[in-house]
Amino acid sequence: MSCLFCRIIAGEIPGSRVYEDAELVAFDDIHPQAPMHVLIVPRVHVPTLNEVDPSHDALVGSMIRRAAAIAAERGYAEGGYRTVFNCNAQAGQTVFHIHLHLLGGRTLAWPPG
Ligand code: 5GP
Ligand code: ZN
């Protein structure tokens, strides 16, 4: 298995898991860009947002709602937080298994870099 996130999901590489269920795993980013930087990752391997199709609609909804739930648990619901999917090279995607970044705990600039 060559995909890094498939390996983390399978437990082959240790990660600091913050949530898991039948569809999703969430773990702390190894290079956090904010006090909270969690990656919400589906167990199914989908390389980029370009390969998301209607069969994934419920899954993507679950990812977004899970991000909101983790943010709320950590006290960031009121103050605010950011969710990001990077898609392909120009957006800076480096791991080709879709993941939703959840960032919070500091003021986040807009537009992003
Ligand atoms: P992308 O740049 O593809 O949107 O995001 C990939 C993210 O995965 C980066 O923020 C990077 O820090 C994180 N990452 C890369 N390798 C590992 C790893 O082995 N473990 C964890 N927990 N995160 C990783
Ligand atoms: Zn994968």
Side-chain angles (χ1 to χ4, degrees):
M1 194 191 303
S2 59
C3 170
L4 175 65
F5 286 176
C6 282
R7 295 181 69 193
I8 290 176
I9 290 162
E12 289 178 20
I13 298 173
S16 153
R17 288 190 189 206
V18 301
Y19 177 83
E20 65 182 305
D21 64 23
E23 297 183 292
L24 305 177
V25 175
F27 48 87
D28 289 322
D29 197 292
I30 203 166
H31 293 125
Q33 301 301 314
M36 171 178 69
H37 189 172
V38 173
L39 302 173
I40 295 111
V41 185
R43 290 184 185 274
V44 63
H45 180 89
V46 180
T48 80
L49 272 196
N50 294 334
E51 288 76 40
V52 170
D53 67 35
S55 76
H56 301 120
D57 285 359
L59 176 63
V60 173
S62 296
M63 291 171 72
I64 293 168
R65 290 194 306 101
R66 182 53 49 193
I70 294 169
E73 279 167 14
R74 298 188 182 196
Y76 296 122
E78 292 274 319
Y81 57 90
R82 184 169 294 168
T83 54
V84 178
F85 282 104
N86 293 321
C87 182
N88 277 336
Q90 200 160 16
Q93 185 175 4
T94 58
V95 178
F96 291 87
H97 178 137
I98 57 167
H99 47 281
L100 183 59
H101 292 261
L102 170 62
L103 298 138
R106 67 172 173 85
T107 299
L108 297 161
W110 193 264

